[in-house]
Amino acid sequence: MVGAVRRHLEMIVLILSGLLLAGGAVCWWSGAPGVAEALWVAGTVLGLVFALAATVQAARHRRPTVDIIAVLALAGALAVDEPLAGAIITLMLATGQVLEARADARARRELSLLTERAPRTARRLTESGVVEVPVDEVGVGEHLLVRPGEVVPVDGRLTASATFDESALTGEPDPVERPAGDDVRSGVVNGGQPVEIVTTTTAAASTYAALVRLVEEAQAASAPFVRSADRWAVIFVPVTLVLAGAAWWAAGDPVRAVAVLVVATPCPLLLAAPIALVSGLSRAARLGVVIKGGGALEQLARATVMVVDKTGTLTRGHPAVASVVTEGGAEDEALRLAASLDQMSAHVLAGPIVEAALARGLTLERPEGVEEVHGQGVAGTVGGSRVRVGRPTWIVGDGPPEWVTRVRRRAELDGSMTVLVEIDGTPAAVLTLQDPIRPDAPRMMRALRDAGIDRVVLATGDRADVAHAVGRIVGVDEVLAECTPADKLAALSREAGRGSTVMVGDGINDAPALAAADVGVALAARGATASSEAADVVLTVDRVDALAQAKSVARRSRRIALQAVAVGMGLSLVAMVAAALGYLSPTVGAALQEVIDVLAIAIALRAVLPGRASGPELTAEEHEVLRRLREEHDGLGPLVERIATVADAMSTQAPDLAEARALADALETELLPHERADEERLVPIVARARGTREAVAALSRTHAEIEHQVTRLRRLLESAPAPADAETVIEARRLLYGLHAVLRLHNAQEDEDAFGLIPVPHA
């Protein structure tokens, strides 16, 4: 009961003060002034106790506060027998406290996900068999068994090679294969067959326990939000006391001093600023961005430095099939058979392969005799064909065909993973998978810089080459690769010297940095994690550019809050001077202060309205055009990748242009009509949305260049001698590689500049 009263104290005081003030007014109008005065006195005493408690608490934390003015005003109202003025002040104070409590209510940063995920027991290997023991009883040098899908309970050393999902610690979604003798950290998940480890630490000293402690320590170091009013107190309180003292001394009348204090009660600070901030929270929520309180919104508005994770933030966060490469065509059939088999696999790469096949409209079959080798691949029969899908080394060993080696080499340069598909004992296709960059990530970076972010640091647990490639594309200032959670904390500490910091991430490994940053931003569109518990800002839509919009909303809300405070306190200062000169009594001053409060609130409520739009809204018809063109755009992906495949297969030793001619036919009948439709229908829509035709000049130029290159290829093939000579093959290969590069760049441009305009529904 006592706890409930404490949680709702502000609301209880607000209701009581309203009842006492209204009850006194009713009694006054009913001809019972004595009862009315008693009720108003009670209201004044209630406010005095309330304000005094707030002042004592601020003094205990050595924090300046304007509540001291309210204490003096309320005490003065009682001393000079102006209880109505005191009751009005109490109502104003209580209203401000309720609004402030709502605006600054921060979600508790629970560690529930971390603690629930932490293993409670371990499987100890003994001479008599496997014994399950509490994880705290595990010592150094013991042998533990970790079954498939289980979390490694204690740091240890592998006795045999194994595959692990390390995303909880590194944030990287790809499974990692560890050789025998390698160290494995607690917190990772066994993604293969049962494995034995020899412990190298105790549970308390393990990696996962350290991660939990990092979150706790970072949260403990987070400074509490200081009310806007408190930051003005250092100047405003002395000015008020001097003016009130001067009025009393000059006129010899304490009533004037009380009138000054009543008018000086800083309700524009206590009311207007929280209302503007709450309005900003509401606007951000409509964008799919949950900001946990006015303090977080103010910090976001002031932030100038951002540290961002890669996986799930700048990239999609899960692998996707980038290309299907075969030696002799039939890419769709190879993908169909592989996806049909992978329907029965729980491997992390099986899902993207199935998704890719379904996206191409392929019909999958139910496989038979499925056998999965953990960490290697899966085999079975699909439609009478014996199919294996998995690691190239598992299927072809150390002697893969030349074309497979060529594809794997290119994939390695791109930072992609490869999966080999074998059909009836013959390598049929190589699937390349990568974690694609979000189309809206570069646009988010530009918008954040426009919204006040001066520096962006990419901190990721991924390899340096992949991290730098992503950093270059999205446009960051510095790249930190192969980072542990502690490294990210260290990066935040370094960057804190440059300004207020924002940390953006979406994994458990980001939780310590999210808690330590001035503002932690988590992406939770794909489900809540420890990162969203530790964050101040949570994106519930799968669009990172919403963060830039939220930053703009935060800046605008803070600017409006300051405007409301400046106008309200400016008028209060004028009224204070009038009261000091004897033109305002305490009761009239309290009523005038209410009028000033209403004006300040009206200014603050402007934050509810949307800001100036960056461009015109697209119509439903235009959105539908964009969706149809994007479907065509995505459907042409296999044709674009086929260009590189055909170029790879061309050889001067055995010149053959048959595949090139078939490709040219497909480019003319499928690709060019789409590019012309883009120029005729997509470009005008994007130009109107961006506000200028100049914004789409690059799109138009690449449309023309693509058609020019396809025409050159056709002319070359038509003029080629029969049989083809080596010179023609070399020139055709050069044209194909160039066209492939132009198309990949152009598709990235369209994803970012055009198809990013398609609205994404909120989660």
Side-chain angles (χ1 to χ4, degrees):
M1 181 65 179
V2 175
V5 170
R6 287 179 179 175
R7 283 196 303 273
H8 302 291
L9 181 60
E10 293 89 353
M11 183 59 69
I12 293 172
V13 173
L14 175 62
I15 294 172
L16 284 177
S17 63
L19 291 174
L20 290 171
L21 180 61
V26 170
C27 291
W28 180 273
W29 289 327
S30 301
V35 177
E37 186 169 334
L39 291 174
W40 290 336
V41 168
T44 304
V45 171
L46 175 65
L48 181 60
V49 172
F50 191 54
L52 189 60
T55 303
V56 171
Q57 185 177 11
R60 186 178 300 147
H61 292 90
R62 299 181 180 180
R63 190 182 72 218
T65 177
V66 290
D67 289 326
I68 185 65
I69 298 175
V71 171
L72 295 176
L74 290 163
L78 290 174
V80 299
D81 197 23
E82 292 280 356
L84 176 57
I88 295 174
I89 293 172
T90 298
L91 180 63
M92 289 190 296
L93 287 175
T95 304
Q97 289 286 354
V98 168
L99 287 172
E100 182 186 21
R102 294 284 177 87
D104 194 40
R106 299 171 68 106
R108 291 186 61 194
R109 294 176 172 181
E110 301 287 350
L111 298 178
S112 57
L113 185 62
L114 286 171
T115 54
E116 287 172 9
R117 188 178 181 278
R120 303 288 194 277
T121 61
R123 303 182 192 280
R124 179 186 288 158
L125 290 172
T126 65
E127 294 182 358
S128 57
V130 179
V131 179
E132 191 167 320
V133 297
V135 70
D136 293 334
E137 295 182 8
V138 176
V140 177
E142 296 194 23
H143 290 250
L144 302 180
L145 177 68
V146 183
R147 293 177 178 174
E150 289 185 343
V151 177
V152 175
V154 180
D155 292 356
R157 186 168 296 111
L158 293 170
T159 60
S161 61
T163 302
F164 295 97
D165 173 6
E166 300 187 353
S167 59
L169 299 183
T170 67
E172 301 309 313
D174 306 334
V176 177
E177 186 171 3
R178 299 283 181 187
D182 204 4
D183 290 332
V184 60
R185 295 177 290 177
S186 61
V188 304
V189 178
N190 182 11
Q193 55 193 356
V195 63
E196 179 183 343
I197 66 170
V198 180
T199 61
T200 55
T201 66
T202 61
S206 288
T207 301
Y208 200 66
L211 178 58
V212 174
R213 286 195 299 272
L214 279 174
V215 176
E216 293 172 337
E217 291 167 4
Q219 289 175 330
S222 296
F225 170 61
V226 180
R227 293 186 308 172
S228 299
D230 298 339
R231 294 196 293 269
W232 291 67
V234 175
I235 299 175
F236 190 72
V237 170
V239 169
T240 301
L241 296 179
V242 168
L243 186 57
W248 190 350
W249 176 78
D253 184 2
V255 175
R256 288 196 183 186
V258 173
V260 171
L261 293 173
V262 167
V263 175
T265 303
C267 288
L269 287 175
L270 298 175
L271 292 171
I275 287 174
L277 297 181
V278 168
S279 300
L281 301 180
S282 176
R283 287 291 307 161
R286 292 190 194 119
L287 299 172
V289 182
V290 177
I291 302 177
K292 298 179 181 178
L297 185 136
E298 280 206 306
Q299 290 283 15
L300 180 61
R302 287 197 299 265
T304 57
V305 179
M306 187 171 78
V307 178
V308 58
D309 181 43
K310 177 183 75 69
T311 303
T313 304
L314 300 181
T315 65
R316 290 291 187 188
H318 52 83
V321 174
S323 65
V324 181
V325 183
T326 64
E327 186 179 22
E331 294 94 345
D332 282 357
E333 179 62 12
L335 178 60
R336 186 186 73 83
L337 292 175
S340 296
L341 183 60
D342 267 338
Q343 291 179 105
M344 309 303 292
S345 173
H347 194 275
V348 67
L349 299 183
I353 293 173
V354 174
E355 290 175 9
L358 295 176
R360 294 194 186 192
L362 304 179
T363 302
L364 306 186
E365 298 182 51
R366 186 175 183 83
E368 299 175 352
V370 178
E371 299 176 2
E372 184 160 7
V373 179
H374 290 292
Q376 298 299 326
V378 59
T381 302
V382 181
S385 298
R386 185 62 181 172
V387 181
R388 288 203 296 169
V389 181
R391 294 179 180 272
T393 53
W394 176 61
I395 294 177
V396 295
D398 296 329
E402 182 182 348
W403 70 273
V404 173
T405 301
R406 187 168 59 242
V407 175
R408 293 185 66 193
R409 186 183 302 118
R410 182 194 297 162
E412 187 174 341
L413 291 174
D414 291 340
S416 302
M417 296 168 288
T418 55
V419 173
L420 185 61
V421 181
E422 180 190 77
I423 302 175
D424 292 329
T426 302
V430 176
L431 312 181
T432 65
L433 298 96
Q434 58 184 200
D435 186 10
I437 295 174
R438 289 175 175 268
D440 54 345
R443 184 170 63 249
M444 175 195 70
M445 288 297 173
R446 294 194 295 270
L448 281 170
R449 294 187 190 279
D450 291 340
I453 294 294
D454 299 326
R455 178 173 168 80
V456 181
V457 177
L458 171 58
T460 176
D462 208 348
R463 302 190 333 245
D465 56 340
V466 176
H468 281 280
V470 173
R472 281 192 299 270
I473 291 172
V474 301
V476 303
D477 298 296
E478 185 178 353
V479 175
L480 304 175
E482 301 178 5
C483 291
T484 65
D487 293 333
K488 293 182 180 182
L489 276 180
L492 274 169
S493 298
R494 289 193 302 271
E495 297 299 328
R498 299 175 183 266
S500 183
T501 57
V502 177
M503 173 68 201
V504 186
D506 80 329
I508 294 177
N509 63 300
D510 297 318
L514 290 170
D518 294 320
V519 182
V521 179
L523 278 72
R526 292 190 298 271
T529 65
S531 61
S532 60
E533 300 291 347
D536 306 289
V537 179
V538 179
L539 272 62
T540 60
V541 291
D542 199 17
R543 287 175 35 242
V544 291
D545 63 335
L547 174 59
Q549 295 175 292
K551 174 103 166 67
S552 297
V553 167
R555 292 182 76 192
R556 179 172 179 268
S557 300
R558 184 169 181 267
R559 183 172 64 250
I560 290 174
L562 292 175
Q563 291 170 356
V565 167
V567 171
M569 296 314 298
L571 292 176
S572 292
L573 286 172
V574 173
M576 287 164 60
V577 173
L581 296 175
Y583 295 117
L584 293 176
S585 67
T587 300
V588 173
L592 178 60
Q593 185 63 46
E594 283 283 19
V595 174
I596 294 173
D597 291 346
V598 170
L599 178 60
I601 290 171
I603 295 173
L605 285 173
R606 290 166 46 230
V608 176
L609 304 175
R612 229 175 356 184
S614 57
E617 290 287 332
L618 298 185
T619 65
E621 182 181 353
E622 288 172 327
H623 282 310
E624 184 58 31
V625 170
L626 288 177
R627 286 192 182 93
R628 285 201 300 268
L629 290 175
R630 184 175 65 176
E631 288 177 2
E632 294 179 14
H633 167 94
D634 294 342
L636 289 170
L639 178 58
V640 173
E641 293 308 315
R642 182 180 164 193
I643 296 172
T645 303
V646 170
D648 287 343
M650 296 178 75
S651 170
T652 57
Q653 302 300 318
D656 185 1
L657 298 179
E659 282 295 323
R661 289 191 173 95
L663 174 63
D665 290 340
L667 292 174
E668 289 178 338
T669 58
E670 299 176 36
L671 178 67
L672 291 188
H674 171 74
E675 300 302 329
R676 290 166 188 154
D678 278 353
E679 183 64 27
E680 294 172 6
R681 305 174 66 188
L682 182 141
V683 167
I685 294 174
V686 178
R688 196 176 80 81
R690 303 300 184 198
T692 172
R693 188 81 184 185
E694 192 64 28
V696 293
L699 283 178
S700 293
R701 178 66 183 85
T702 49
H703 286 151
E705 183 63 24
I706 290 167
E707 185 152 3
H708 174 60
Q709 294 299 327
V710 173
T711 301
R712 288 185 65 194
L713 176 64
R714 171 58 72 188
R715 288 208 316 266
L716 174 68
L717 296 175
E718 288 177 348
S719 63
D725 55 14
E727 183 179 345
T728 302
V729 169
I730 292 172
E731 181 63 17
R733 191 163 53 197
R734 185 183 69 82
L735 283 174
L736 289 174
Y737 282 136
L739 178 60
H740 181 254
V742 170
L743 280 167
R744 289 193 64 178
L745 177 60
H746 175 61
N747 288 345
Q749 285 178 318
E750 286 192 339
D751 280 337
E752 179 183 342
D753 295 334
F755 301 128
L757 297 173
I758 300 174
V760 179
H762 290 192

